[in-house]
Amino acid sequence: MTVRPVEPDDVPAVLEMIRELAAYERAEHEAQMTPDQLHGALFGEQPAVFGHVALAADGSTAGFALWFRTFSTWRGTHGIHLEDLYVRPEHRGTGLGRELLRTLAEVCVARGYARLEWSVLDWNAPSIEFYRAAGAVPMDEWTVYRLTGGALDSFAAARR
């Protein structure tokens, strides 16, 4: 079982798995990222996204985790927001997902970060069970809000 930081040659496999994840989450039409965008986000002058890949015994890319740093004003330290964690169906149950998540926990501890957090769809029972088994707790009192598309454009332009 190998988990390592994502490398430029991993971009096609990670992008393919992002599309697989989007299909699983019933939002394939929303997965519009290009290879150049992913490469730039991960390996540009000022990377905004970081990642790890999980390799199967045969060396193939079996899963990934993409994340970015957050900051807690209450704790006064950074944290990690896990944007996506995905393990291909044929590799689930092998411990690769746990190792990806554990790797991010290790990054937090090593860097003195206060939190590792993420969102999960409320209907995704297998993922919820997986995260609870790791000791994660839901933030039931918090609701995620999002501005996107036309609403984002309109709100940004409202001051003008």
Side-chain angles (χ1 to χ4, degrees), residues 82 85 87 95-102 118 124-136:
L82 172 59
L85 185 143
V87 174
L96 287 176
R98 186 172 182 82
E99 284 307 305
L100 282 164
L101 193 60
R102 186 186 323 274
W118 59 90
N124 192 344
S127 292
I128 292 169
E129 183 179 323
F130 167 74
Y131 294 136
R132 287 183 188 232

Side-chain angles (χ1 to χ4, degrees), residues 15 61 83 88:
L15 194 55
T61 308
E83 180 65 18
R88 288 189 157 139

Side-chain angles (χ1 to χ4, degrees), residues 107-151:
V107 169
C108 285
V109 170
R111 296 182 183 180
Y113 293 175
R115 296 177 176 157
L116 170 57
E117 53 193 1
W118 59 90
S119 298
V120 61
L121 291 165
D122 59 7
W123 56 260
N124 192 344
S127 292
I128 292 169
E129 183 179 323
F130 167 74
Y131 294 136
R132 287 183 188 232
V137 294
M139 302 298 295
D140 291 332
E141 295 177 358
W142 293 86
T143 301
V144 175
Y145 281 82
R146 177 178 295 159
L147 277 172
T148 189

Side-chain angles (χ1 to χ4, degrees), residues 20-96:
E20 291 172 17
L21 175 61
Y24 173 76
E25 291 183 350
R26 305 173 190 147
E28 194 169 12
H29 62 284
E30 293 182 38
Q32 300 174 8
M33 183 165 39
T34 67
D36 287 342
Q37 286 175 313
L38 181 56
H39 187 276
L42 287 164
F43 305 108
E45 254 184 61
Q46 295 182 340
V49 177
F50 306 93
H52 289 78
V53 291
L55 304 178
D58 66 2
S60 64
T61 308
F64 76 94
L66 291 179
W67 56 274
F68 54 89
R69 287 188 330 161
T70 60
F71 186 79
S72 169
T73 56
W74 290 9
R75 295 286 186 98
T77 64
H78 287 286
I80 286 178
H81 178 84
L82 172 59
E83 180 65 18
D84 284 321
L85 185 143
Y86 179 77
V87 174
R88 288 189 157 139
E90 63 270 23
H91 298 287
R92 293 184 188 151
T94 64
L96 287 176

